[in-house]
């Protein structure tokens, strides 16, 4: 048996800035309550719907952790007679992930407590959320005492966590720190290093603040280089906050200027630079508009170092505006639809401030994923060298396609609890109807041609047709045109993707300007007054949600209605004003014109029904979707044959050639 050494896997941490909104992610003063969601575990959709409302209710006794209890980055005070649980997102130990994906089989928990009569209780959970006490110890003296617990990872095949609770005696207790460690092979004792690849465009202050967060001393041994791919006109180097970031990172920071090649072009540049340099074990993709928990990077590297095989290690995303809310616990590609989603037995937008880890059964089942978003995602350099760089997709589907490509090559992705960033939420946008609609469909089709295991891509072509008709009956003609443009570009073949990388976005934006539904106005008086020839049928309000049967009837009749001549008054006056939240296809389809607000709340656009345009778009829509069904197999063969070339460092170097010699190292 080879020699082993003890290595730190995870340490107890406290928030870095005293923000009370994030405290539930670190500490939990409440009692665990599993009764509300006892039917939700096990993949039953009916049970999930039954419990959907009730399990989000706050289980609270009124106890809170006060900011003055946080003493240092690793220590917290527990008042006399009270108890505090560390069974939280950042401080519980995700035992099932370590058992499934790493060489670790046993862990040691060492908790250092200052104060007599303090009891440390170690607990574990099973995949169904049931919880058991494992062991407890009590301190005797007033001085610092380290209590140790040796714990097996054997019982965690399907899920489960370890965590500890601390109960104070007659006096206050300080939990000075806690460490989870394991005996690991000696050749895995030294931590790997990581190159960070951050793509930025016109977010100078946000990006500079992120760089400063990365300059903390605890992260320094793990950082090799921080690459910032500057693609905007408002430079991060011009931010008044940049000097502090430069001072914190020193010569580890490199700013590389290039044209706007999108997220995929920025990340591919970081991947290329990391591979060419060849000194870091990993490359981590990270967005520029995030707040980072530096410990998450350390944990990702440690997990990657001890994985059974080279593994992509992703982090989670919390909302920057509601910091205890988790976007998703993990994502898959639904193979029949070929669409990204969270598994049906999970919950999106989960608020840990309402129900923390110990009170939510579904969080205890290990979740296996197909990919992780590149807002925070660690990729071994070995994987990049073998399967290539990002596809040249500009935005959308680059991260999910890469996860599928790695999976096909035998490299799994793990979305790892305890590693996370706070990100601007996507829910405030509707990028399915703006310029991004082009990239959504084009890149989804490309990814499906490369990786779908179903004939003709499964349901994808049918779903694309359904969405296209929905846009047409909603008078979203600019979106419909962009989607057809996307399909035509896919049919043109894979080798045009690099050529379009720098030019397609400005072409798309210029093309959209001719359509009134893409001409946004911030001033509500920019539109004519609302007038209507006929009142709403039976006085129904826009907020009424039609039944499933009514929606199906509308879906069948709406295209036929588009062949009728629009009402005369609708050409000069919009018939209705529709809020973004109400702008569903089954509502828009009944009007001949409408003022529709945007999801971000800053503007609105005028939708006007055009019978001739509808006819033309419907014909082209039918023709293109029929062509995709006919040519799918040959097109898929072309894309799969070209994948190695279009993702190779050599091809990307040609794309980057105008900027490679002009690299700006700040």
């Amino acid at each position: 048996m080879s020699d082993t050494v003890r290595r730190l896997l995870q340490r107890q941490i406290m928030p870095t800035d005293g923000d009370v909104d994030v405290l539930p992610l670190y500490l939990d003063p409440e009692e665990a309550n599993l009764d509300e969601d006892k039917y939700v575990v096990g993949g039953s959709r009916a049970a999930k719907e039954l419990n959907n409302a009730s399990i989000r209710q706050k289980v609270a006794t009124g106890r809170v952790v006060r900011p003055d209890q946080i003493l240092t980055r690793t220590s917290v005070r527990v008042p006399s007679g009270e108890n505090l649980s560390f069974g939280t997102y950042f401080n519980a130990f995700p035992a099932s992930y370590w058992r499934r994906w790493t060489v670790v089989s046993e862990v040691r928990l060492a908790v250092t407590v200052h104060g007599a009569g303090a009891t440390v209780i170690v607990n574990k959970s099973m995949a169904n959320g049931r919880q058991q006490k494992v062991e407890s110890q009590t301190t005797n003296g007033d001085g610092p005492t380290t209590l140790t617990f040796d714990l097996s990872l054997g019982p965690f095949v399907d899920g489960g966590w370890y965590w500890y609770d601390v109960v104070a005696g007659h006096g206050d207790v300080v939990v000075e720190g806690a460490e989870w460690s394991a005996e690991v092979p000696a050749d895995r004792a030294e931590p790997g290093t990581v190159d960070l690849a951050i793509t930025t465009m016109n977010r100078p202050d946000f990006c500079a603040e992120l760089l400063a967060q990365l300059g903390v001393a605890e992260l320094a041994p793990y950082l090799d280089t921080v690459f910032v791919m500057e693609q905007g006109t408002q430079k991060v180097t011009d931010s008044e906050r940049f000097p502090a970031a430069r001072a914190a990172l020193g010569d580890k920071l490199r700013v590389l200027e290039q044209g706007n090649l999108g997220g995929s072009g920025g990340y591919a540049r970081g991947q290329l630079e990391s591979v060419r340099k060849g000194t870091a074990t990993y490359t981590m993709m990270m967005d520029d508009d995030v707040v980072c928990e530096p410990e998450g990077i350390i944990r990702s590297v440690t997990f990657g170092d001890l994985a059974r095989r080279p593994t992509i290690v992703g982090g989670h995303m919390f909302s920057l505006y509601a910091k205890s809310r988790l976007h998703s616990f993990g994502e898959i590609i639904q193979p029949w639809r070929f669409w990204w989603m969270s598994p049906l037995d999970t919950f999106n937008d989960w608020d840990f401030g309402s129900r923390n880890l110990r009170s939510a059964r579904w969080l205890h089942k290990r979740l296996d994923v197909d990919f992780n978003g590149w807002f925070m995602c660690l990729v071994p350099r070995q994987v990049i060298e073998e399967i290539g760089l990002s596809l040249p997709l500009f935005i959308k589907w680059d991260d999910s396609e890469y996860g599928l490509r790695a999976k096909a090559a035998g490299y799994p992705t793990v979305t790892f609890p305890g590693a996370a960033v706070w990100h601007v939420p996507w829910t405030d946008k509707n990028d399915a109807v703006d310029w991004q609609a082009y990239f959504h469909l084009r890149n989804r089709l490309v990814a499906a041609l490369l990786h779908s295991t179903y004939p003709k891509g499964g349901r994808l072509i049918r779903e694309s047709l359904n969405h296209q008709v929905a846009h047409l009956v909603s008078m979203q003609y600019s979106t419909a045109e962009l989607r057809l443009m996307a399909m035509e570009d896919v049919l043109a073949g894979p080798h045009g993707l690099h050529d379009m990388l720098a030019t397609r976005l400005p072409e798309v934006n210029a093309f959209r300007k001719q359509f009134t539904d893409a001409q946004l106005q911030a001033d509500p008086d920019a539109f004519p007054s609302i007038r209507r020839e006929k009142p709403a049928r039976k006085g129904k309000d826009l907020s009424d949600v039609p039944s499933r049967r009514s929606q199906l009837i509308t879906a069948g009749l709406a295209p036929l209605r588009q062949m009728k001549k629009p009402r005369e008054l609708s050409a000069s006056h919009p018939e209705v004003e529709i809020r973004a939240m109400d702008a569903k296809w089954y509502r828009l389809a009944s009007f001949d014109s409408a003022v529709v607000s945007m999801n971000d709340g800053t503007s609105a656009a005028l939708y006007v029904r055009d019978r001739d345009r509808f006819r033309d778009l419907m014909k082209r829509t039918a023709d293109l979707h029929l062509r995709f069904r006919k040519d799918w197999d040959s097109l898929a063969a072309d894309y799969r044959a070209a994948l190695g070339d279009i993702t190779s460092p050599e091809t990307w170097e040609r794309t980057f050639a105008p900027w490679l010699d002009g690299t700006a190292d700040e």
Side-chain angles (χ1 to χ4, degrees), residues 248-271:
L249 288 170
D251 58 7
K252 292 185 176 182
L253 176 61
R254 292 186 63 193
V255 179
L256 312 176
E257 294 191 7
Q258 61 184 35
N260 182 17
L261 304 181
S264 68
Y267 290 130
R269 178 71 183 278
Q271 293 165 356

Side-chain angles (χ1 to χ4, degrees), residues 45 55 80 94 124 161 183 231 271-272 313 342 427 454 459 465 540 568 571 585 592 624 647 653:
R45 189 169 187 174
I55 66 173
S80 173
K124 73 175 182 180
W161 300 65
E183 290 288 330
Q231 299 188 151
Q271 293 165 356
L272 177 65
V313 185
S342 300
T427 50
Y454 287 95
R459 192 174 182 267
L465 178 60
K540 288 189 175 181
E568 185 174 345
W585 68 268
D592 289 340
L624 274 174
T647 60
E653 282 180 344

Side-chain angles (χ1 to χ4, degrees), residues 399-426:
D399 46 14
S400 48
E401 186 281 329
Y402 202 87
L404 293 179
R405 198 190 328 162
K407 184 177 181 179
Y411 300 120
T413 297
V414 176
T415 298
F416 186 55
V421 295
W422 289 268
H423 190 282
V424 175
W426 297 325

Side-chain angles (χ1 to χ4, degrees), residues 475-514:
M475 302 172 287
Q476 295 164 342
Y477 300 123
S478 67
T479 302
E481 286 279 11
L482 292 185
R483 287 170 55 84
L484 295 185
M485 182 189 298
M487 297 183 77
E488 290 165 349
D489 285 349
V490 174
L491 288 169
H495 292 285
L497 291 173
H498 273 276
D499 294 336
M500 291 188 290
L501 197 58
T503 61
R504 214 46 171 152
L505 176 58
E507 292 167 354
V508 162
N509 280 328
F511 179 76
R512 291 180 70 236
K513 289 180 180 179
Q514 65 183 288

Side-chain angles (χ1 to χ4, degrees), residues 206-226:
F206 221 136
C207 187
E209 287 183 359
L210 172 60
L211 296 176
Q213 294 160 22
L214 299 173
V216 296
E218 63 206 58
L219 196 52
Y222 299 86
L223 279 185
D224 189 311
T225 305
V226 178

Side-chain angles (χ1 to χ4, degrees), residues 196-201 211 225-232 235-237 242 246 252-261 265-274 276-277 656 659-666:
L196 260 68
I198 301 170
T199 301
T200 189
M201 181 177 175
L211 296 176
T225 305
V226 178
F227 293 108
V228 177
M229 275 56 69
E230 174 61 83
Q231 299 188 151
K235 310 292 186 183
V236 64
T237 53
F242 183 76
R246 158 59 74 192
K252 292 185 176 182
L253 176 61
R254 292 186 63 193
V255 179
L256 312 176
E257 294 191 7
Q258 61 184 35
N260 182 17
L261 304 181
Y267 290 130
R269 178 71 183 278
Q271 293 165 356
L272 177 65
E273 296 289 342
S274 183
R276 291 200 311 183
K277 179 168 61 66
F656 294 135
W659 304 285
L660 285 176
D661 293 336
T663 294
D665 290 328
E666 296 294 339

